[in-house]
Amino acid sequence: MKCNPTVKDVYSFIDSFAPFSAQCEWDNSGIIVGDTNKEIKKIAVVLDITSQAIEYAVKEGVDLIVSHHPVIFRAVKSFTDSNPAFLLAKNGISAICAHTSLDTAKGGVNDALADALGFSGVTPLSENGETAMIRIAEISETTGDKLAELCCEKLSTCVRLADCGKKIKKVALCGGAGADFINEVADADCDAFITGDVSHHEFLDAKALGLTLIAAGHFETENPVVAVLAKKIGEEFDVETIIIPQSSPVSYHI
């Protein structure tokens, strides 16, 4: 559909390939800020709606931001001039946030991560529930060190590795905070698991299960979907669609 869309039109399009009804019960995906009937002339896509991202959007004349992470996630008790949701409303910018709905979607966050790593033919761990966001890839035999090096190269980041020392052929992927799924991944007979955030105790748990675990950064494992999402939206609607430049809030010092 080539048209001048409303906020609701863009929402409905995203809903067609990443259904908001499929989001986790604790999530807050959807139209978070704005008038659903407002006509949109310029769209921006970004992972996180920060004050810096909004400043960029204002300069670029953007009236809708589509993000992965919800601009309002947990309950808040006040809105001040430092709150991104307040800044969006103040500047007349709407926000659609596709979070866990985009994690599980075909072609979404985790398929984009697999593509970025050069893995093909990936499949979901399950068809329903939260484990539907996990992708499984069969790869040429490698080692934990080599797989970690691949993540560093393809995602332009540093990684943390708990290497079980065995050969790796079956890999699980889950961008962002996927370490809660360590047991499910191990039960699926995977040799390694690549995710974003991992705690000390989760590394210990993985090693105890014989699972090589790589923490490649929350931002770095999810950001590949931004370009994918911008391309989809830009091809669907006859309005300018841009990507807001953004880098990880975390820097590494050795």
Side-chain angles (χ1 to χ4, degrees), residues 149-200:
E149 289 171 9
L150 177 72
C151 292
C152 290
E153 176 190 349
K154 297 297 186 180
L155 303 179
S156 300
T157 187
C158 298
V159 307
R160 294 182 295 151
L161 166 69
D163 191 351
C164 287
K166 65 182 181 183
K167 298 296 184 180
I168 294 167
K169 293 190 70 175
K170 187 176 182 181
V171 181
L173 310 167
C174 185
D180 285 348
F181 300 124
I182 286 171
N183 287 311
E184 288 84 352
V185 168
D187 287 344
D189 295 323
C190 292
D191 305 308
F193 186 23
I194 301 168
T195 189
D197 299 326
V198 177
S199 73
H200 172 76

Side-chain angles (χ1 to χ4, degrees), residues 65-87:
I65 298 178
V66 177
S67 74
H68 177 47
H69 291 137
V71 68
I72 301 174
F73 188 46
R74 297 179 178 86
V76 294
K77 295 184 178 181
S78 65
F79 286 94
T80 65
D81 58 4
S82 64
N83 186 291
F86 175 91
L87 294 174

